[in-house]
Amino acid sequence: MQLTLNPVKPNVEATRKFLSSKDKKMLLNNEWVDAQKGGVIETHDPASGSLLAIIPQGTQADVDAAVASAKTTFEQGTWRNMLPAERAKILWRIGELIDANIDELAELETLDQGKPLGVARWAEIPGAAEQFRYFAGMCSKLESKVIPSSIGYQPPGKRVHSYTLSEPVGVVAAITPWNSPLILTAMKLAPALCVGCSVVLKPAEDTSLTALRLGELCIEAGLPAGALNIVTGYGQVVGQALAEHNDVAKISFTGSTQTGRKILDAAKGNLKRVTLELGGKSPMIVLDDADLELAIPGVANAAFFNGGQVCVAGTRLYVQEGIADKLYAGIAEYAKGLTLGHGLDPATQMGPLVNPLQAAKVYDYIQSGLADGAKLLTGGGLGGPHSTFVEPTILTQCHNNMKVVREEVFGPVLSSMTFKTSDEALALANDTDYGLAASVWTQSLSHAHRFASDIEAGTVWINSHLMFDPSLPIGGYKQSGWGRESGMDAVLNYVETKTVCAVL
Ligand code: NAD
């Protein structure tokens, strides 16, 4: 694929300022520090390959220092024992500061990850601010229960008073991936901080810049020292050390299912609490009676939004035979019409993948699908100045035992096939190791809710795909993970329930 990028520059003075000093530091006890061993990692613009910044390459020593800082803050209670209303004010302020710096954060995210500026500016960065505001409201609402027990053996004349307390679990290690860096970070930090935990954050090595900028905003918002520490570096080193660390009480991980398994292994030493938000292979079922005006852009957007680098992306399309020709024609036209380019170029609708390795991996999946007998409806090309662009690709005549249908591709590749009956569609949709999300497209209420009930996935959308809100729990069935983020459920990830039983 031939692709020449239009020249682009950040428009926002603050972005230019942030990037003007190339050497970034990480956050330890509200101080900005280098890695103790002095190692660094270069971070590049995935569209052009140009150097953006240099981040510290943390090691075990940095993890130990960050965990010690978080533990001290937790034990001293400077954050956890702050009045809930005061914690709420600080979380709310973080949300407000994200909004106040939204243009800079959006440009940084686009430069670091590659996504179109509109995705960062109008969806993800505001979404991160909303997470902090949603959980700010929760700080003062963590109620416990008084429980009417039936214990019959207390001393005569005495009564039993039983109740529960929700207590913060302790030091939390938050490990995040590269596809939507700031919002996925906010989905962990906001609920963990809301309940009073102290956090050590390890952002993805490819996309650490907005996490570091968020660290600055957290200090500005008044977050006490040690409540948030950030250690940048490689997963096998920093992530692994956090997952193994005996003073970390909880790992909150978002990333691939393969890494999720490694984290489970590493976490077993002190039986850490573990939440896993993992990969997906989300089906989209389009029935004959679907409203195509909704379904065509909806299905195509679900597959190609953020270049398909979305855990809940619609990647398996099951189309009922009677509507297949029209749907395929519509989504092929949509895909061909997408403008690829640098995320900062206002004309761009789809950016690059995060690095050349990921683009090559996605390209290999397309080739494997074709070798297995799929037909190329559109796309299939790889190119760009840094070999990071993959064309939006639609494969038809797939079947469920192809590798491209079974495994998570994490790029702009939609695999599709037709079905005759809704029972067949349900069986195809559920024939997967994953269970993160799904969508069903139909005008029949009955079909819609039958599918919603029978599909094995943590989220089912009806006549839409990719709708999020901080109030709506999200997470996986099967090998897509353990636990839920967003909503009240997210708070439960970070608390222990203590039962108190008193004889009065
Ligand atoms: P990844 O698993 O390679 O890395 C995720 C994070 O884990 C990174 O910070 C990485 O440095 C770290 N890591 C790597 N090896 C580690 C180890 N041995 N121990 C501890 N940490 C380690 O994932 P990725 O490629 O960055 O992101 C893409 C994946 O994330 C996809 O599978 C996608 O579906 C998933 N994801 C899931 C959700 C969700 O909510 N379920 C959301 C977004 C992304």
Side-chain angles (χ1 to χ4, degrees):
M1 181 202 11
Q2 289 298 320
L3 181 68
T4 313
L5 303 181
N6 294 326
V8 290
K9 277 203 185 119
N11 272 322
V12 180
E13 175 56 30
T15 315
R16 292 195 288 269
K17 189 168 164 232
F18 185 83
L19 293 175
S20 67
S21 59
K22 288 266 172 282
D23 290 320
K24 297 295 156 201
K25 295 184 188 291
M26 53 193 185
L27 185 62
L28 176 68
N29 216 29
N30 278 8
E31 303 285 337
W32 292 98
V33 298
D34 291 317
Q36 291 187 27
K37 292 200 170 157
V40 292
I41 301 175
E42 289 189 351
T43 186
H44 297 95
D45 174 341
S48 64
S50 63
L51 179 71
L52 282 176
I54 295 168
I55 59 167
Q57 188 186 141
T59 61
Q60 178 79 48
D62 303 296
V63 168
D64 288 344
V67 172
S69 156
K71 189 177 173 202
T72 303
T73 298
F74 190 76
E75 287 176 350
Q76 290 177 345
T78 38
W79 175 244
R80 72 187 282 211
N81 293 336
M82 195 181 271
L83 290 178
E86 295 302 318
R87 281 207 310 273
K89 278 186 207 160
I90 292 175
L91 287 192
W92 188 273
R93 232 178 272 142
I94 297 171
E96 294 296 90
L97 283 168
I98 291 174
D99 273 348
N101 294 278
I102 198 162
D103 292 314
E104 175 198 355
L105 287 163
E107 284 194 343
L108 281 179
E109 201 78 303
T110 287
L111 283 163
D112 206 13
Q113 202 280 333
K115 61 186 71 252
L117 185 63
V119 172
R121 173 63 182 80
W122 300 106
E124 296 191 0
I125 310 297
E130 287 305 336
Q131 287 280 336
F132 281 100
R133 283 191 287 259
Y134 178 83
F135 287 103
M138 204 84 87
C139 294
S140 53
K141 293 164 195 71
L142 280 176
E143 296 171 357
S144 302
K145 292 181 201 158
V146 173
I147 300 174
S149 66
S150 301
I151 299 165
Y153 48 84
Q154 69 270 21
K158 298 288 185 185
R159 273 183 285 163
V160 174
H161 177 53
S162 307
Y163 58 96
T164 58
L165 296 172
S166 283
E167 298 189 335
V169 66
V171 174
V172 170
I175 302 178
T176 53
W178 45 256
N179 57 316
S180 297
L182 193 71
I183 186 159
L184 294 174
T185 299
M187 285 165 75
K188 300 188 181 310
L189 295 193
L193 292 172
C194 155
V195 304
C197 290
S198 303
V199 181
V200 179
L201 168 67
K202 192 217 100 57
E205 47 271 39
D206 275 319
T207 57
S208 296
L209 296 185
T210 49
L212 296 177
R213 186 69 183 100
L214 177 66
E216 295 177 352
L217 299 180
C218 288
I219 296 174
E220 193 180 336
L223 195 67
L228 171 65
N229 301 274
I230 305 175
V231 185
T232 51
Y234 292 115
Q236 306 89 298
V237 179
V238 174
Q240 184 79 19
L242 283 168
E244 286 173 358
H245 208 293
N246 275 334
D247 288 333
V248 171
K250 159 96 193 182
I251 291 275
S252 176
F253 172 73
T254 300
S256 62
T257 297
Q258 295 87 311
T259 308
R261 285 204 183 87
K262 287 187 196 159
I263 293 213
L264 275 187
D265 268 350
K268 68 187 179 208
N270 67 340
L271 293 179
K272 286 178 188 63
R273 279 74 185 119
V274 177
T275 305
L276 301 171
E277 296 289 336
L278 306 178
K281 194 75 198 175
S282 302
M284 303 185 281
I285 299 170
V286 185
L287 298 178
D288 274 347
D289 69 347
D291 175 352
L292 283 182
E293 284 191 19
L294 276 180
I296 288 171
V299 162
N301 182 56
F304 303 130
F305 181 82
N306 203 31
Q309 301 162 108
V310 180
C311 54
V312 290
T315 50
R316 293 183 293 139
L317 172 63
Y318 300 106
V319 195
Q320 203 159 16
E321 281 178 347
I323 206 170
D325 288 349
K326 280 189 191 158
L327 186 82
Y328 283 148
I331 57 175
E333 194 186 331
Y334 183 107
K336 283 179 196 150
L338 288 173
T339 304
L340 273 58
H342 194 289
L344 287 189
D345 184 339
T348 294
Q349 292 165 305
M350 210 178 90
L353 299 187
V354 73
N355 58 40
L357 206 66
Q358 181 64 12
K361 189 176 141 197
V362 171
Y363 184 71
D364 285 349
Y365 271 112
I366 298 171
Q367 298 309 311
S368 90
L370 296 174
D372 286 344
K375 296 282 169 273
L376 187 66
L377 182 62
T378 184
L382 166 72
H386 191 44
S387 297
T388 43
F389 285 85
V390 175
E391 287 177 324
T393 299
I394 303 173
L395 301 173
T396 59
Q397 300 181 36
C398 294
H399 47 80
N400 258 13
N401 50 14
M402 289 177 177
K403 185 173 142 175
V404 71
V405 179
R406 298 217 74 80
E407 297 182 9
E408 187 182 44
V409 174
F410 227 57
V413 181
L414 177 61
S415 304
S416 73
M417 67 197 82
T418 57
F419 65 86
K420 287 187 171 52
T421 68
S422 48
D423 283 350
E424 191 192 344
L426 181 68
L428 286 166
N430 282 341
D431 173 24
T432 171
D433 291 336
Y434 293 108
L436 197 51
S439 60
V440 54
W441 303 77
T442 174
Q443 298 190 60
S444 153
L445 268 181
S446 165
H447 271 128
H449 290 287
R450 284 291 287 272
F451 274 109
S453 155
D454 293 346
I455 289 178
E456 297 158 358
T459 295
V460 179
W461 289 291
I462 296 171
N463 293 324
S464 70
H465 202 110
L466 302 185
M467 292 202 303
F468 309 102
D469 190 85
S471 63
L472 297 176
I474 184 153
Y477 281 32
K478 303 200 269 189
Q479 292 181 32
S480 288
W482 290 354
R484 295 292 178 270
E485 292 196 319
S486 291
M488 272 303 290
D489 296 45
V491 162
L492 304 179
N493 291 332
Y494 301 103
V495 292
E496 293 281 14
T497 298
K498 178 181 279 174
T499 301
V500 181
C501 194
V503 171
L504 306 177

